[in-house]
Each structure stands twice: as C-alpha cells, then as structure tokens.
Amino acid sequence: MTDDELIWRIAGGSGDGIDSTSQNFAKALMRSGLDIFTHRHYPSRIRGGHTYVEIRAAGHEVQSRGDGYNFLLALGDSFARNPKEEAVYGDEEIKPLSENLDELREGGVIVYDSGLLEEDDVAELNLEERAEENDWHVFPIDLRGMAKEHGREVMRNTAGVGVTAALLEMDLDHIEDLMTDAMSGDVLEANLSILREAYEMANEEYEFEHDVRAPTGEHDEEQVLVSGSNAIAYGAIDEGCRFIAGYPMTPWTDVFTIMSQNLPHMGGISEQVEDEIAAAALAVGASHAGAKAMSGSSGGGFALMSEPLGLAEMTETPLVLVESMRAGPSTGMPTKPEQADLEHVLYTSQGDSQRVVFAPGNIEEAYDQTRMAFHIAYEYQIPTIVIYDQKLSGENKNVDESFFDREPNPSLGSTLTEAELEDAAHEAAGKFMRFQSDPEETENGVSPRSLPGQKGGRYLASGNEHWPSGHIAEDPDNRVLQMDRRTRKIESIRTELDEEHDSQQTYFGDDAADLGIITWGSQQGTVEEAVERLNDGGHSVKGIGVSDMMPFPEDEMTEFLESVDEALVVEMNASAQFRGLLQKELGRFGPKLTSMLKYNGNPFEPGEIVEGFEIRLGGDSQEPTAQVRFEPAAGD
C-alpha cells in the first residue's frame, strides 16, 4: 500500500446492504477521477454473518487489492444469530469490528456504529489500547439512531458514507448524483437528508487529526465499473451468444443472472432448469440446432456436466461452458476463492476427450477470452471452457468505456450453407458425410457441419464412435482415423493462437531478469504489482500470467523458463495444480519451479508474494508471516 491511496473497508452483516453501498461509493470515487479495485468477502448465508467489501482507490492504475487497508466503516451485524460470545459462532454482532482490526494499517481510521455495537462489547476488544499502540483514529457514532430519526434503520449505511466523506474531506456531489440516479421520491429525499446531516455533523463535531484522505486523479476518458462476471457475460453477448441454460450456484450465478437479464431483450433465451446435467444438455441441444449457446456452473455443479460435455466432444457440437471455482471439495467454502478446479476442468469426462480451456487473469481478459472461446468453439466444433474464480467473479475494476466498443460476431464458424451442402460429400443413401475422416480433407481436424432442417444436411449425431455419416461404428481403422482427426483440432487451435492472434499470456517486469514469477488466472494483477515492487526494491524479476491452459502454450513457456534460473509459481490451492500442468507439459524445467500456495479462503496480497519471493528465491531466511505454504522444486 502506498501513501497516495485510500483502501476503504465497509463491514457489516449479510443482508445489511454492504455490497450495494460499496458499489455506489466505488462509483463515486471513480467518477471523481480515481482508479478503483474492489475485493469482496462474504459468508455462505442469506442473512447475517460478517461480510465486508474493500475499495482500493488511487490516482494511478491499480490491478489488485492492497496490503491491509486504512479506513474501516464497521456497521455491526444487525442479523446476528447470537450475540453471546460463547455461542457456536461467537458474538456475531460485533464481528464487523472485531474481525477487521488485525489488517488495519498504522494511522488508520475507524468509524463504528455505536447505536448497534454496545460499549461493553467494544471495551472487551481493548480497542482504546490498540488504537493508542497503532495510532488509530476512532470515531464511535450512533449511525443507527440517526437513521431511525429519518424513518428507516437501513439508512445507517448512508449515514456511514456521509461520515466517511467528511473524514476524507470529499465533497458529496458524485455520491448525491448516484443516489439521484438510483432513487426517487421520498426515499431519495430521506437518503439525501441523512447523508448531508451525517456529513455536516462529522465536520462540526470532530477534528481530523488523521492523515487518511481521498486521493485525487483524473481520467482521460469515460470509465465503467465492471466485474469479471460482467466481462464474461458481455463477451458472450458480443460474440453472438443467444442461449444460456443454468442452475444457480455461487459464484457462477452472477454470469447466469447478467445473461438472463439481457438475452430476452436481444431475442435470446435464458432457461433455469432443474439441475446442471439438464443445463449443459440444453446448451448442447441449442448449439446443435444452430444457436450460439453456453452454460456453466461452479465445482459440484460442473461435475454433473461431465456427461453432456463428453457428448459435445463426441458429436463435435460447439459449446462454451464457464466454470467459476470456489473452495472445495464438496460444498467446501462456497463464497471463498480458490484455484483448485483446474485438473477437474482439464480432465473431466471419460476417454481421450478434447476441449479448450482459457483462464483469464483480469477483467479485460475475461471479456476478450470469452469472445475467443466462442470463436474457437464454433470454428473448430469443440467444447471450450472459461475457468475463473470467486475473486475474479466478484471484484470490480474501472475500465475505459471504449474498451467494449467492438464489432459483434454472430458467425457460426465452420457451418455450411445449403448452397455449400449441394457440393458436399454424401453417402449412397443420401446422408451428409458430417464426420469426414480423410486427413487430406480435414487437415485442421474440422469436418464442416450442417444444421437440422437444411436441405442436404441430414446426418446422425451419436455419442458412440461413428462412421462419417454418423452411424455407430466399432471398426478399428475408422476409430483411429476419427480419433486422430479430433486430436488434430487441438494442434490446429494452438497453431492459430500462436500465429493469428496476440498472445493471451501477460508479461511484466524486467525482460532481462534471471528470476521469474509465474501465475495463472485471478492472481495475475497481484503478482504484477509484487514484481513491480520487487524491481523497485533492487531485485531483477520478470513475471508471466498464463491464460492458455489447453492447448498449452508450450513455445511461450519454454522461452520464458529457458530465460530464468528459477521461478516461483503462485496459485491458490493446496496441491500445486498449475505447477503440475507445467511439469506435465515441460517436465525438464521441474527443478526450476518452486510453489507458493495459499488456500485459506483469502486471495494473495502483493506484499505476501514479495515476502515469499524474498524467502524462497531472494535468500531471506525468515519464516513467512502470511498463511502460505512452499513446495520446493522437483528433486530438492
């Protein structure tokens, strides 16, 4: 964390409006000219349970959450199950204050709702003593009482934002504009009134001896605040997706909800079905019929999609799935991030199955790689999966509005028209040779498809191995020809990605460095900031964020690993799954790879990676202060 940034954390209970309040405050900060990055922490409950949202705001670009934070607005948990300390979950009411003190930076600010959090409970936290030790500036304010005077207790959030703005010496213009956009009538007037009253009260009653202030900045163009889920949904829509089927499961539900809200206005269809088997099967059917289709889920739900996924692979039906990882196994920690489904996604479905897997590392990549997933799926008639996690799903970041100003692509890829079908190969009985196996006719592995109802396009689509016409076949020669053809698709896709498109891997740091950090997925921005800090601190480090999981970018990774003496592989799981993929594809580099693993339900902070690098590759002999684990290089 630098001195020229604000990291504001609002904490309360699930159902207390923490997320919506933080969204509006983040937008207000963005509109004032600041770059924004948010981090969301919430329990697996509808009502109650400690939740917080962290907003990092700075006058420079931010790609990650920071190290700790410097301003806490603790509202208390109004839906607490039990206020007694000896209860199973402890005193939940006070957790929005008590659970957040350890990460508050020296010199930080605390505002807590003295109308909900009782003085005796706060006293048990030794808050006064800890504040003196850490130079914290504490403001107990009866936000609840203030809200009740205005008729609605829920408005204590608005009062808290008013106090925050005063203590940060912000004006209220952007906050009021956002309220005006979202509300009307008496509700708007009541919220504006309590916002201004809280702002004026804080200015009149308190002296601002703290150093935490809202930074200043300016954007060159209009900004939008979007999440990874937004980006995936927008990428799908822009690439022509007009059908989605799914079943709600955190955190995939966000993408499903956004698509469901938008598709009906575009002539598309959204179906919520009874389970994930049906969801994936419906998407396969819609794609077979000629729609651009997708489905998705998280962990356990995606496991149910294994059979429809295999069907799409055997019938060569284009399909895009998204898999949003969360901490497992089984139900695990449904609302906490983890990167432990990689092997599950790469290898689910039986037999020598073929699919493409992309793992975007930030919001821009989530949009681009979702579009690429549809292009690949429909050009090569292959299931393509976008794998991400709860962190990327829910975090918000500002992006140039013009970034999304792209041409749509409704193309169905390698699909023949009726005119083209007239000249296509047919068997003696008239069936279209949908699954041609001649290597000379299918050099890239793709045998063009027809759509149901097209004249001359009739064929059989079977989950069994089949002849070119689709009839079931167990002939050994045919099996080898068909398997070899389907396998050639992966080789052709890798060639296209290497030769016709910009790399989907992201490079950062010192090109000449002989030490590296490798990561994948949502940890990319955090690693990028860590690499920048390490280089500023006198190290020479380069980094790479890898997005192509399958087909693996062998040439790029070979070049990177040949250029370094050692590399730290950073990922959020306990079994080093991505490092395992690296060693599977490029085993000779195993002795260069050391893993840094975190799997406690919280994503990495940049400082943790800096510390881990200095311990494992920088010669520092200290033990890590973060809750991480290191796995030594192969052979050590």
Side-chain angles (χ1 to χ4, degrees), residues 194-207:
I194 194 171
L195 176 76
R196 293 164 183 163
E197 180 180 316
Y199 185 82
E200 292 167 3
M201 178 275 298
N203 274 310
E204 291 172 2
E205 296 189 14
Y206 297 104
E207 295 183 10

Side-chain angles (χ1 to χ4, degrees), residues 47-215:
R47 290 281 193 229
H50 169 228
T51 183
Y52 71 77
V53 177
E54 195 174 271
I55 300 172
R56 187 181 187 189
H60 53 81
E61 186 177 17
V62 287
Q63 295 277 7
S64 165
R65 66 180 304 203
D67 297 331
Y69 67 102
N70 54 10
F71 194 116
L72 173 63
L73 173 59
L75 297 175
D77 183 352
S78 68
F79 292 102
R81 283 183 285 205
N82 197 322
K84 297 180 180 179
E85 188 62 40
E86 64 272 15
V88 171
Y89 297 99
D91 182 355
E92 290 192 332
E93 191 172 74
I94 202 167
K95 282 188 176 182
L97 178 60
S98 62
E99 295 285 306
N100 289 293
L101 297 179
D102 289 344
E103 296 172 280
L104 182 63
R105 305 285 295 193
E106 186 174 335
V109 174
I110 299 173
V111 175
Y112 72 86
D113 187 354
S114 60
L116 180 64
L117 303 181
E118 297 181 8
E119 187 176 336
D120 290 345
D121 294 331
V122 173
E124 291 181 9
L125 302 178
N126 297 318
L127 182 58
E128 186 174 342
E129 181 181 329
R130 294 185 67 179
E132 186 174 346
E133 291 174 356
N134 293 282
D135 190 28
W136 292 338
H137 303 268
V138 182
F139 299 90
I141 300 174
D142 187 1
L143 303 172
R144 189 186 199 186
M146 194 179 300
K148 285 182 175 180
E149 288 180 5
H150 287 263
R152 300 187 68 199
E153 185 176 323
V154 71
M155 290 191 297
R156 66 197 184 102
N157 297 27
T158 304
V161 171
V163 171
T164 294
L167 294 175
L168 294 174
E169 296 186 349
M170 295 172 56
D171 62 48
L172 295 177
D173 293 350
H174 294 298
I175 300 171
E176 292 179 340
D177 288 345
L178 283 162
M179 285 185 173
T180 303
D181 291 343
M183 307 174 191
S184 61
D186 293 342
V187 173
L188 172 62
E189 290 305 315
N191 274 276
L192 288 175
S193 177
I194 194 171
L195 176 76
R196 293 164 183 163
E197 180 180 316
Y199 185 82
E200 292 167 3
M201 178 275 298
N203 274 310
E204 291 172 2
E205 296 189 14
Y206 297 104
E207 295 183 10
F208 303 162
E209 298 176 352
H210 57 276
D211 295 325
V212 182
R213 296 292 186 274

Side-chain angles (χ1 to χ4, degrees), residues 45 103 239 261 378 482 490 535:
R45 287 165 54 187
E103 296 172 280
E239 202 61 19
Q261 290 169 340
Y378 280 80
Q482 295 288 9
I490 296 296
N535 286 324

Side-chain angles (χ1 to χ4, degrees), residues 15-70:
D16 277 328
I18 303 303
D19 189 50
S20 58
T21 302
S22 67
Q23 284 266 357
N24 286 330
F25 191 56
K27 288 178 183 177
L29 291 166
M30 180 185 74
R31 291 185 181 184
S32 74
L34 299 177
D35 269 41
I36 303 298
F37 193 97
T38 74
H39 165 63
R40 185 181 177 202
H41 175 284
Y42 59 105
S44 311
R45 287 165 54 187
I46 303 301
R47 290 281 193 229
H50 169 228
T51 183
Y52 71 77
V53 177
E54 195 174 271
I55 300 172
R56 187 181 187 189
H60 53 81
E61 186 177 17
V62 287
Q63 295 277 7
S64 165
R65 66 180 304 203
D67 297 331
Y69 67 102
N70 54 10

Side-chain angles (χ1 to χ4, degrees), residues 226 229-239 258-259 262 367 404:
V226 292
S229 295
N230 289 126
I232 290 170
Y234 300 160
I237 289 169
D238 285 353
E239 202 61 19
I258 296 165
M259 292 290 289
N262 285 278
Y367 175 85
F404 297 104

Side-chain angles (χ1 to χ4, degrees), residues 260-307:
S260 298
Q261 290 169 340
N262 285 278
L263 284 184
H265 304 297
M266 301 173 176
I269 295 173
S270 168
E271 288 286 343
Q272 179 174 322
V273 293
E274 64 271 25
D275 58 38
E276 289 82 359
I277 301 174
L282 256 67
V284 172
S287 179
H288 175 75
K292 276 192 168 178
M294 71 183 294
S295 185
S297 191
S298 301
F302 190 83
L304 295 175
M305 294 182 169
S306 177
E307 188 171 1

